[in-house]
Amino acid sequence: PFNTLPITFHIKKGLDDPEYQRFKSMYDSLPQDKTNIWILKPGECTNCGIGISVSKDFQEISSLIEESTASRRKTCIV
């Protein structure tokens, strides 16, 4: 398992984005024992280390995605 790349979702249009739906399906398919940790970061200037969040909670992740993509000028990578 350590030799595989992590699954990445580039969400551009908030909670209506097809990538968000793909993320939600993946999240729902995993065990709900809260052992999966998700990293969220801005889709722009991703090598700056600014704006990175870490969460296990789906509601918190969805809120962070919604906040970061609200203007439709910024995107979010999960």
Side-chain angles (χ1 to χ4, degrees):
F2 292 107
N3 60 357
T4 60
L5 292 173
I7 296 172
T8 303
F9 304 93
H10 188 182
I11 301 167
K12 301 174 184 177
K13 299 177 183 174
L15 305 185
D16 296 328
D17 194 302
E19 279 293 288
Y20 174 78
Q21 298 305 318
R22 285 186 57 235
F23 160 69
K24 184 177 183 322
S25 292
M26 174 62 70
Y27 186 96
D28 290 343
S29 72
L30 296 171
Q32 298 301 309
D33 57 5
K34 301 287 185 187
T35 58
N36 294 300
I37 297 173
W38 297 88
I39 300 169
L40 294 87
K41 63 182 188 171
E44 299 73 33
C45 301
T46 58
N47 61 348
C48 297
I50 299 170
I52 297 172
S53 300
V54 178
S55 181
K56 297 178 186 181
D57 181 68
F58 182 77
Q59 294 302 324
E60 180 180 12
I61 294 168
S62 293
S63 293
L64 290 167
I65 292 169
E66 197 167 30
E67 285 174 28
S68 69
T69 60
S71 70
R72 303 279 181 169
R73 290 185 182 179
K74 296 188 178 189
T75 63
C76 184
I77 296 176
V78 180

